[in-house]
Amino acid sequence: MTHILVSEVGPRDGLQSIDRVMDLEAKKRWIAAEAAAGVQEIEVGSFVPPKLLPQMADTAEMVRFAKGIDGLTVVALVPNAKGAQRAVDAGVDGMSLPFSMSETHSRKNLRKDHAEMVVEIREAAAIAREGGAHFAVGLATAFGCTLEGAVAEDQVVRLAEQAVEAGAQELGLSDTTGYADPAQVRRLVRRVKAAVGDDMLTTLHLHNTRGLGLANVVAGLEEGITTFDASLGGLGGCPFAPGASGNIVTEDLVLMLNSMGLDTGIDLDKLLQVRAIVEEALPGEPLYGFTPDAGPMLDYKKRIAR
Amino acid sequence: MTHILVSEVGPRDGLQSIDRVMDLEAKKRWIAAEAAAGVQEIEVGSFVPPKLLPQMADTAEMVRFAKGIDGLTVVALVPNAKGAQRAVDAGVDGMSLPFSMSETHSRKNLRKDHAEMVVEIREAAAIAREGGAHFAVGLATAFGCTLEGAVAEDQVVRLAEQAVEAGAQELGLSDTTGYADPAQVRRLVRRVKAAVGDDMLTTLHLHNTRGLGLANVVAGLEEGITTFDASLGGLGGCPFAPGASGNIVTEDLVLMLNSMGLDTGIDLDKLLQVRAIVEEALPGEPLYGFTPDAGPMLDYKKRIAR
C-alpha cells in the first residue's frame, strides 16, 4: 500500500489569509485533534514579522506545543534566514521557504529578486542544517502568476536547480494562484524531477481556485508525488496573490486518497469532526469541501480495507 | 490535438432534478447559446412519461428545435422501448438508455430487474436501429449505489457484455451517485474495455457529490475516455438516488480540458455567458462551479493556443 503524506497547512496558509487572529488555545485544540485523527505533519505557522502577519505571532508557541504531540512532524514556513533562525530556536522538525518562480511576485511578496532569494536560501539552509532541521524550498507560483501570467517552465527548472545547489533538501511545486492544470502538473513535475533527481521533488501545494485541485492531485500521483499540502475546510489562500483563494480541502483529499486504496493513515470520521473546532473559533468564516456535506460513500469502509 | 467531446446534459439531468419546469423558450435559448459557444452534443431531454417528470414533457419539441441547429448532435434519454420509439419519432440523432448496475436501484428507478432490462434494451436497440438513431447504454450506478453500497466490478463487466450483445452501439459508465474515485475509474474503465472492446466504452457520466468529479475525469482521460457528460452550472442530479447531487460543471470541465491543450471546440468565454440564460429562467436556483467566479487564468489564451 503506497503511503501518501497529507500535510495540513491550514494553521499557516489558512489562517494567514484571513483578517482575524485565531485564539492560541483554539489553534492548539485544532492541531491536537488533527494529529489524533492521524495527520502526521502540520505546518503550524510562519516565522514572518508579527507586524506583517499578526495571525502568525504565536508561531513559536505553536511549535513548542506541537512538538509535545507524539509522532507529529512539526513544520513552519520561513520567509528568510532570520525566520529560519527563529524556527530553529523554536525547535521545528522542518521548515519550508517559499521561492517565487515569478520574479514580480517574488519582489512583491518577499521584496527580493531571484538572485537575492538564492542568497537567502543558502543562508537559511545553513542555519537549518546547523540546527538539525529539515529544509525544504517551495517553488511558489510555479504554474503561473496573477501578476505575470505564464511562468516559463525552463525558468522553474533552472531555479529548482539553483535552490538545490543552495542547500534545499527537498522541493515542492506550489500552485499559489490556482493556475495549474493536470497536463501541466505532469509535465512540470517530470521536468523538475529530471533536473534535480526523482527523490528531491516530493510535494505539491495546490489551490482549488478553479476547481481543479483534486484533478491536479491525480496528475501528481501519476508522476510519483508523495506529499500533498491541504487545508482543513479549504481555509486560506495567498494574501499577496490577488484572486488566489483556498488550498485544496483536507477532508476531500483524504476521502479521495483513502478511497483509492492509498495509505494516508488518517481517520476520515475523526478528521471531519475537527471542523467544529475551527467553526467555533472563527464563527462565520466560510469553510469549503464536499465530503463534509455528502459524507463518505456507503461502501467507504470496504474501499479502505482493500 | 486530441478531440474530447463535452456532452451537455443539463437540459436533461439538470432540469429533471429540480421541481420547477423551465420555460420551453428559455430551454431553446439555452441550448442555442451553448451550441453557439461550440458545444457539439446536447442531451435535450428525456422520453419518460410526462406524468412522472413534467419537466421533460416538451422533449419532442426540444428535439425538433435542436435538430435545426447546424452541426449539433441531438440526443435524449430513453427509459425503455416505448421511449425509444418516441425518440425516433421526434427525430433524435442518438439516444441513451440507463441500465442500472445496482439491481435495487434498477427496480426502484425503472421498475425492472436486470434480466427485464436486457429484454428492454434489445427492443429499444432494434427500434433505434430501424429509426436510424445511434443507440447508447449508460451503465448507471456503476461505481456504487446509495441503496446497495458497493456494486461488484464483475457484475458491471458482465452486464456491459449483455448490453452490447443486446444491441448497444456504445457504452458509458455513469457515476449516478457520486461514488467514483480515480483509481476505481481507471480500474473499471480498463476492465469494461477489455471485455467489450476499446472503442465500445467512450463515455463517462460523472457527478461531483464528493468533489472528485474532475479528478475522475483525469483518470478517465488516462484510460482513453473521449466523451464526458457535464451540466452547465452543475445543475442537477438523480432524483431517485438520495444524496446524489450535481453533475460535474461544464464550465470547469471545459476550462480544464482546454487548458490541458485538449481540443473541445468550445469557447469558454461564450460558455460562461450562457449561465445568465439559466439564471434568468430559474431565479434562485443554485448554480455551481469555480471558473465562473475566478475566471480563466491570465495566460489562458496562451495555454489553448499551444
Side-chain angles (χ1 to χ4, degrees):
Chain A
M1 216 166 163
T2 310
H3 182 71
I4 300 294
L5 180 65
V6 173
S7 182
E8 172 63 53
V9 299
R12 196 277 302 169
D13 204 357
L15 290 180
Q16 78 170 40
S17 72
I18 63 174
D19 289 336
R20 291 184 277 177
V21 176
M22 191 174 180
D23 175 64
L24 175 62
E25 293 309 313
K27 284 193 195 184
K28 289 180 181 174
R29 281 197 299 279
W30 176 7
I31 67 165
E34 274 212 45
V39 172
Q40 296 125 51
E41 181 174 293
I42 302 182
E43 194 173 64
V44 298
S46 178
F47 287 101
V48 285
K51 256 188 279 183
L52 229 69
L53 284 175
Q55 304 96 311
M56 299 289 111
D58 55 10
T59 297
E61 182 58 33
M62 283 292 286
V63 170
R64 278 188 287 272
F65 172 77
K67 284 292 291 174
I69 301 173
D70 217 36
L72 182 68
T73 302
V74 181
V75 295
L77 188 139
V78 302
N80 48 31
K82 201 172 160 187
Q85 189 58 58
R86 287 175 60 204
V88 163
D89 292 346
V92 297
D93 295 310
M95 63 186 83
S96 176
L97 190 148
F99 180 18
S100 193
M101 303 293 92
S102 150
E103 202 153 28
T104 313
H105 182 258
S106 182
R107 283 209 192 88
K108 193 150 184 177
N109 198 5
L110 297 172
R111 296 181 196 175
K112 289 194 176 64
D113 64 20
H114 283 153
E116 292 168 322
M117 279 304 300
V118 173
V119 171
E120 200 73 38
I121 288 169
R122 196 178 307 278
E123 203 178 327
I127 291 166
R129 198 168 43 242
E130 196 155 328
H134 188 72
F135 183 73
V137 168
L139 307 175
T141 66
F143 299 95
C145 169
T146 48
L147 306 165
E148 279 191 12
V151 170
E153 291 179 5
D154 286 347
Q155 179 165 315
V156 177
V157 171
R158 186 173 47 79
L159 295 172
E161 288 170 329
Q162 291 182 22
V164 171
E165 190 276 325
Q169 295 175 289
E170 187 183 331
L171 295 181
L173 286 172
S174 298
D175 185 20
T176 319
T177 54
Y179 268 44
D181 72 62
Q184 186 186 18
V185 168
R186 294 201 68 161
R187 209 168 49 232
L188 196 56
V189 169
R190 211 176 297 172
R191 286 202 59 187
V192 172
K193 280 191 171 215
V196 300
D198 228 33
D199 296 340
M200 188 58 79
L201 175 60
T202 54
T203 303
L204 282 181
H205 174 95
L206 299 165
H207 282 221
N208 200 33
T209 316
R210 288 167 180 82
L212 310 189
L214 294 186
N216 290 329
V217 169
V218 173
L221 288 170
E222 296 285 342
E223 295 299 333
I225 292 294
T226 51
T227 301
F228 295 92
D229 290 353
S231 177
L232 193 87
L235 200 70
C238 176
F240 303 106
S245 67
N247 295 107
I248 55 172
V249 175
T250 310
E251 300 90 309
D252 290 346
L253 175 66
V254 168
L255 172 83
M256 181 173 91
L257 296 173
N258 284 359
S259 294
M260 290 173 79
L262 298 165
D263 167 36
T264 64
I266 299 171
D267 182 317
L268 181 62
D269 287 336
K270 287 186 186 165
L271 182 70
L272 287 169
Q273 288 163 25
V274 182
R275 281 170 80 97
I277 296 171
V278 178
E279 279 165 353
E280 198 197 318
L282 299 170
E285 195 62 39
L287 291 186
Y288 303 92
F290 291 80
T291 305
D293 287 334
M297 313 82 162
L298 263 187
D299 62 335
Y300 172 75
K301 283 197 195 316
K302 207 186 258 186
R303 288 169 188 248
I304 63 174
R306 207 172 37 219
Chain B
M1 215 169 164
T2 309
H3 181 71
I4 300 295
L5 180 64
V6 173
S7 183
E8 172 64 51
V9 300
R12 196 277 303 170
D13 204 358
L15 290 180
Q16 79 170 37
S17 73
I18 62 173
D19 290 334
R20 291 184 277 178
V21 176
M22 189 172 181
D23 176 62
L24 176 62
E25 294 309 312
K27 284 193 193 182
K28 289 180 180 174
R29 280 198 299 278
W30 175 6
I31 68 166
E34 275 212 45
V39 172
Q40 295 125 54
E41 181 175 292
I42 302 182
E43 194 173 63
V44 298
S46 178
F47 286 103
V48 284
K51 256 188 280 184
L52 230 70
L53 283 176
Q55 303 96 311
M56 299 289 112
D58 55 9
T59 298
E61 182 58 34
M62 283 292 285
V63 170
R64 279 189 286 274
F65 172 77
K67 283 293 290 172
I69 300 173
D70 218 35
L72 183 67
T73 300
V74 181
V75 294
L77 187 139
V78 301
N80 49 31
K82 201 170 160 188
Q85 189 59 59
R86 287 174 62 202
V88 163
D89 292 346
V92 297
D93 294 313
M95 63 186 82
S96 176
L97 190 147
F99 181 18
S100 193
M101 302 295 92
S102 150
E103 202 153 27
T104 314
H105 182 257
S106 182
R107 283 209 194 86
K108 191 148 185 178
N109 198 5
L110 297 170
R111 297 180 195 174
K112 289 193 176 63
D113 64 20
H114 283 153
E116 291 169 321
M117 279 304 299
V118 173
V119 171
E120 201 71 38
I121 288 168
R122 197 178 307 279
E123 203 178 325
I127 292 166
R129 198 165 45 241
E130 197 157 326
H134 187 75
F135 183 73
V137 168
L139 307 174
T141 64
F143 299 96
C145 169
T146 49
L147 306 165
E148 279 192 11
V151 171
E153 291 179 5
D154 286 348
Q155 179 165 314
V156 177
V157 171
R158 186 172 48 78
L159 295 172
E161 288 170 328
Q162 292 182 22
V164 171
E165 191 277 324
Q169 295 175 289
E170 188 183 331
L171 296 180
L173 287 172
S174 298
D175 184 21
T176 319
T177 53
Y179 268 44
D181 72 61
Q184 188 187 19
V185 168
R186 293 201 69 161
R187 209 167 51 233
L188 195 57
V189 169
R190 212 177 294 173
R191 285 201 60 187
V192 173
K193 280 190 171 218
V196 299
D198 227 34
D199 296 342
M200 188 57 82
L201 176 60
T202 55
T203 303
L204 282 181
H205 174 95
L206 299 165
H207 282 222
N208 201 34
T209 315
R210 288 168 180 80
L212 311 189
L214 294 185
N216 290 329
V217 169
V218 173
L221 288 170
E222 296 284 342
E223 294 299 332
I225 292 294
T226 52
T227 301
F228 294 92
D229 291 351
S231 177
L232 193 87
L235 200 70
C238 176
F240 304 105
S245 68
N247 296 107
I248 56 172
V249 175
T250 310
E251 300 91 309
D252 290 346
L253 175 65
V254 168
L255 172 85
M256 182 173 89
L257 295 173
N258 285 357
S259 293
M260 290 173 80
L262 298 164
D263 168 35
T264 64
I266 299 171
D267 182 316
L268 180 63
D269 287 337
K270 286 187 185 165
L271 182 70
L272 288 170
Q273 288 163 26
V274 182
R275 281 171 79 97
I277 297 171
V278 179
E279 279 165 352
E280 198 197 317
L282 299 170
E285 195 62 39
L287 291 186
Y288 303 91
F290 291 79
T291 306
D293 287 334
M297 313 81 163
L298 264 187
D299 62 335
Y300 172 75
K301 282 196 196 316
K302 208 186 256 186
R303 287 169 189 247
I304 63 174
R306 209 173 34 221

